[in-house]
Amino acid sequence: MFSRIVRRGPVRRLCALIRSSKELCVTRFRELIFIDDIFRGEESGLQPHPTNRRFLRAFFEVAARRLGWDVREVCAESQKGALPVANLLSDLGLPSSPEGWAAACVADLTPGASALASLALSCESLVIGWGMPPSLMRFIHAQGVAFIDVEVYSLRFARHLFLSARTNDVVIRRQLELLRPNDEVFWAAAAGLKGFFARRGQGFILGRDVRVGLFLGQTEVDLALVSGARLARPSDFVDQIAQWAREVDLLAVKAHPYQPDLGQLRQLLQVVPNAALINVNAYELMCAENLQFVGALSSGALKEAPYFGCRDVRQLLQDDRNNAAQLPPSCSPWLPVGPAIASIDALRAFAGVSAVGRNWPSWLPTRRNACVLENGGFADDVLDQIFGGRWGLSEFTEGLPEVPTLRCEQEYRLSAGRAERSWLGAGWHQPEHWGVWSEDHQAILLIPLAVEAVDATASGLEFRLRGRLYRPPGGSTAPKAQVFVNDRSCRERVHDEATGLLEWSVDWDADLIRGPLLFVRVEVSGATSPAAAGESQDERRLGLGLETVDLVSPAAAD
């Protein structure tokens, strides 16, 4: 009698719905649409990065085709697509410039609906994007369409890379959460890295007594730097960064490896006297015991620092792309996932019945549709192979070196194989048997001081550097160099006319010393390469060839 009752009416229909959930899973979506930051391109005077969008299509396409879904990309006309981005910017009243791009990231796209018609969205579309701007996510959401926004996960120091994803769809969010790796993977990887560096070097940056803060640079044009609809720069926060620098002996500035032009960081260095570019691997720096804090505008590496024991993490801006007020109300947080996100089981699970942004009833099953394989059948290192490594970490990375301190009446040579080469900051070529060449513009020496040197400021000593400028053949003009020690200009004289050896010196007094670290800055103009001078095939730009450094009495200087 009871069995007859449950097979009638709403209960019967519910049972049928649950039994047919597998079939429903493969019918909610009929196509995948791949997209990226549509505003970044020639239309806004910026370099696009279509390889990320192409990666998404190639990565998801195999499983989608197996399910019988259509697959297509959407991009700007400048990238041979159908999207009239120039018209869209015009409809929004925004200039075709980087400033227009930044404003478009959070603009209301409703006035540009006609230009966006080429998206051809439908209720059977699933949009998968790489670094989509909030404005585009809001527009897609308003059409009642589900999306997944994807990027590389910010914790990049584990043995393998992971992706990060967020969505406006409740069913997809549940499945992404099931794909989330255990956080112990990252804690264990951080412990392994700390042990790796501990066996290969020292635990301190430039010495136990040197207090160091770390400022992480970023690429100049990055969605993570758009805040308040404008593109932020380090110079916008120079007062705050200078205040940070006053808390430490050295503010180590680590440039982003994909940002070759360091102009914006150099502006910061000119204002903050104890800031210096440093070439050491960022993970080595974060493992150092004398690191006081890690700061940045909004670098993803700020999320990595706590895993290495850094408790003082400082972020200068709230980027619009992670501001909940700029995102669709139902947008999930970023969720780390493995490569299984592109498996056929994952796509089946994503296609479970749901209305975008609505609550998924807790009494309906979701786990049964989750990926049945931990990596969806993918190899653990598939993302490493796709992206060409672990991003920022090399198996050939050395640990932090033991750095000698400057003592009185002792000569130090900046040549290959010498411990003093650890004083070399940014702006130098690799040391050679005789010394080291500076590159163009600026080169830095960071020299920790022995206690005896700090205490010898009343002894009439002078700090001295010796080297020679590169002289192109044929009487071409040689470069010029100015040397500053703790921002004090050095005297220059010819030490040996026959060899062209020059000497730069400064009096060693209490006003010069401002802590346990000496900042030497070499400013070079007119550097050229032997290849340009017709001397050899060497294309390095050569300025000052530095040979020795010492702290001596003037009488003993010669």
Side-chain angles (χ1 to χ4, degrees):
M1 182 70 177
F2 178 75
S3 62
R4 292 179 182 176
I5 293 176
V6 300
R7 291 180 180 276
R8 295 177 182 175
V11 176
R12 182 176 181 178
R13 288 195 294 273
L14 173 60
C15 293
L17 173 63
I18 294 175
R19 284 197 304 271
S20 63
S21 61
K22 182 176 181 180
E23 286 72 26
L24 288 169
C25 278
V26 296
T27 56
R28 183 159 70 113
F29 301 130
R30 294 289 186 182
E31 69 168 352
L32 295 185
I33 301 174
F34 297 96
I35 199 167
D36 53 16
D37 183 353
I38 59 175
F39 299 105
R40 180 168 184 146
E42 293 180 11
E43 292 86 349
S44 56
L46 297 173
Q47 176 68 37
H49 298 297
T51 53
N52 293 323
R53 183 184 69 248
R54 294 169 189 164
F55 151 69
L56 287 178
R57 174 172 181 164
F59 197 49
F60 284 87
E61 185 174 30
V62 173
R65 297 294 190 193
R66 292 173 66 190
L67 293 172
W69 297 356
D70 293 328
V71 173
R72 61 187 174 94
E73 289 182 55
V74 175
C75 60
E77 291 176 335
S78 62
Q79 299 179 51
K80 301 183 179 179
L83 195 61
V85 174
N87 294 344
L88 177 56
L89 289 171
S90 177
D91 292 343
L92 299 176
L94 297 175
S96 298
S97 66
E99 290 73 24
W101 164 79
C105 290
V106 293
D108 178 7
L109 301 188
T110 304
S114 59
L116 289 167
S118 62
L119 290 174
L121 301 174
S122 77
C123 61
E124 294 183 321
S125 303
L126 172 59
V127 177
I128 302 181
W130 184 280
M132 290 188 292
S135 57
L136 182 58
M137 287 190 282
R138 290 200 309 268
F139 180 84
I140 294 170
H141 179 80
Q143 313 308 305
V145 175
F147 67 74
I148 305 175
D149 193 26
V150 180
E151 64 178 26
V152 173
Y153 187 40
S154 56
L155 303 187
R156 301 172 184 178
F157 55 81
R159 183 172 182 82
H160 301 299
L161 284 178
F162 291 85
L163 296 175
S164 210
R166 57 183 175 180
T167 182
N168 65 330
D169 184 90
V170 178
V171 171
I172 295 176
R173 174 174 178 169
R174 291 259 182 130
Q175 300 305 323
L176 293 177
E177 289 171 342
L178 293 173
L179 296 175
R180 186 171 191 155
N182 191 317
D183 200 45
E184 288 302 316
V185 169
F186 303 104
W187 285 109
L193 271 182
K194 287 177 72 74
F196 175 88
F197 291 128
R199 285 187 57 86
R200 286 162 175 78
Q202 302 300 307
F204 304 94
I205 303 169
L206 293 174
R208 183 184 299 270
D209 298 327
V210 180
R211 297 169 303 148
V212 180
L214 175 60
F215 181 82
L216 297 166
Q218 297 172 245
T219 53
E220 291 182 1
V221 180
D222 190 329
L223 266 180
L225 295 179
V226 176
S227 181
R230 62 180 296 272
L231 187 61
R233 295 176 171 83
S235 57
D236 299 331
F237 302 91
V238 66
D239 292 339
Q240 180 64 62
I241 297 171
Q243 181 177 335
W244 292 357
R246 286 192 286 271
E247 301 175 25
V248 291
D249 301 310
L250 168 66
L251 181 65
V253 179
K254 173 64 177 174
H256 193 284
Y258 296 157
Q259 179 58 51
D261 183 2
L262 304 180
Q264 292 188 11
L265 290 179
R266 294 192 192 282
Q267 294 176 17
L268 176 65
L269 298 173
Q270 291 174 358
V271 178
V272 182
N274 64 329
L277 283 171
I278 193 165
N279 291 328
V280 180
N281 182 275
Y283 295 124
E284 289 183 70
L285 296 172
M286 286 192 280
C287 287
E289 295 180 38
N290 60 332
L291 184 64
Q292 307 298 303
F293 62 81
V294 178
L297 298 188
S298 65
S299 172
L302 296 179
K303 297 180 177 66
E304 297 179 305
Y307 286 84
F308 297 96
C310 186
R311 298 179 180 179
D312 190 348
V313 177
R314 308 176 182 186
Q315 182 168 332
L316 285 167
L317 65 82
Q318 169 63 62
D319 49 315
D320 290 338
R321 70 190 301 256
N322 288 312
N323 186 344
Q326 299 287 357
L327 300 170
S330 63
C331 188
S332 71
W334 287 108
L335 299 168
V337 296
I341 188 176
S343 68
I344 190 170
D345 288 311
L347 293 191
R348 283 198 184 104
F350 295 161
V353 176
S354 173
V356 172
R358 296 182 183 176
N359 291 327
W360 176 251
S362 60
W363 43 266
L364 281 179
T366 57
R367 184 169 290 277
R368 62 175 295 188
N369 298 324
C371 292
V372 296
L373 297 174
E374 181 180 359
N375 283 331
F378 290 99
D380 290 342
D381 63 350
V382 63
L383 294 174
D384 311 346
Q385 295 177 357
I386 291 171
F387 287 96
R390 294 166 67 182
W391 285 29
L393 184 67
S394 168
E395 61 182 356
F396 303 108
T397 301
E398 299 179 357
L400 294 169
E402 185 171 358
V403 183
T405 55
L406 181 71
R407 299 180 181 276
C408 305
E409 308 295 346
Q410 182 174 332
E411 184 179 76
Y412 298 87
R413 303 196 66 85
L414 282 301
S415 54
R418 300 276 298 202
E420 296 93 307
R421 72 186 188 281
S422 59
W423 293 349
L424 299 173
W428 302 96
H429 293 293
Q430 285 296 319
E432 302 176 40
H433 70 278
W434 56 267
V436 60
W437 283 112
S438 73
E439 298 178 305
D440 203 4
H441 302 308
Q442 187 181 95
I444 298 295
L445 288 175
L446 299 171
I447 306 176
L449 304 178
V451 175
E452 68 175 64
V454 176
D455 294 341
T457 54
S459 302
L461 302 177
E462 67 178 21
F463 177 74
R464 182 183 64 180
L465 303 92
R466 284 180 176 171
R468 50 178 55 83
L469 298 171
Y470 173 64
R471 295 187 177 277
S476 300
T477 303
K480 296 181 180 180
Q482 286 183 291
V483 180
F484 301 86
V485 177
N486 284 357
D487 288 331
R488 183 187 295 181
S489 180
C490 290
R491 302 180 292 269
E492 178 183 334
R493 74 182 184 93
V494 177
H495 177 71
D496 188 334
E497 292 187 3
T499 62
L501 189 65
L502 301 176
E503 179 179 288
W504 292 266
S505 62
V506 64
D507 294 335
W508 192 259
D509 54 44
D511 292 335
L512 181 71
I513 307 305
R514 61 190 185 200
L517 199 61
L518 202 66
F519 291 78
V520 180
R521 186 175 79 253
V522 178
E523 300 282 357
V524 178
S525 60
T528 189
S529 70
E535 183 179 13
S536 70
Q537 299 300 312
D538 187 351
E539 296 184 351
R540 296 177 301 163
R541 295 181 66 85
L542 307 181
L544 168 63
L546 183 60
E547 297 183 11
T548 63
V549 167
D550 53 27
L551 177 60
V552 296
S553 62
D558 293 328

